[in-house]
Amino acid sequence: MRHAYAPYSRYRVGAAALVDDGRLVTGCNVENAAYGVALCAECGLVSQLHITGGGRLTHFVCVDGEGAVIMPCGRCRQLLWENGGPELELMTVSGLRPMKEVLPDAFGPDDLA
C-alpha cells in the first residue's frame, strides 16, 4: 500500500498472497486520470504471479492505507477465483474464508466449454 499511486482518490490499497510454491506476490493500486481504467492492487498481484512463474494462489489479503483488511471488488474476486480457485483462503473483514464463500457459484474457465 505504501507504493500505491493514488493521487486522485488518496485511497491506497495493498494486496499480498502466497503461491503454492511458497512465493509471496504483492500488488498495489495504480490510478489513472481516466478513472475507469485504474488498476486495483489485485491486478498487479496477479500480474506479478504470472511474470514470476505462475502457479496457484493459496492465501490472500487486501488492506487499505491504514493496514485495515478490506474486501476485493467484484472484478478482483473473479481474478482471484481464476488464479486461486474455490479453496483460496482470503482474509476478509469477517475472518478467514475460502473463495467459494466469497464468490459463491462463480463463473470460471470451465463454463466457457
Side-chain angles (χ1 to χ4, degrees):
M1 72 210 174
R2 287 186 293 272
H3 298 288
Y5 177 71
Y8 308 106
S9 72
R10 309 251 188 274
Y11 189 70
R12 297 176 161 296
V13 178
L18 291 176
V19 182
D20 58 2
D21 64 5
R23 279 178 295 137
L24 174 69
V25 290
T26 59
C28 64
N29 61 320
V30 177
E31 293 182 347
N32 187 301
Y35 296 125
V37 294
L39 298 174
C40 296
E42 297 88 339
C43 294
L45 182 146
V46 168
S47 290
Q48 189 179 80
L49 169 70
H50 289 282
I51 202 166
T52 61
R56 301 295 284 168
L57 301 175
T58 62
H59 297 80
F60 172 86
V61 65
C62 191
V63 297
D64 67 16
E66 303 300 315
V69 172
I70 58 175
M71 292 298 292
C73 70
R75 174 180 79 164
C76 292
R77 291 179 194 200
Q78 183 69 32
L79 277 173
L80 294 171
W81 178 274
E82 292 195 28
N83 290 279
E87 303 307 320
L88 170 61
E89 292 284 331
L90 274 74
M91 181 54 68
T92 73
V93 295
S94 58
L96 195 61
R97 295 174 61 193
M99 194 68 217
K100 63 186 171 192
E101 289 181 16
V102 176
L103 189 62
D105 301 321
F107 180 86
D110 294 340
D111 297 302
L112 298 176

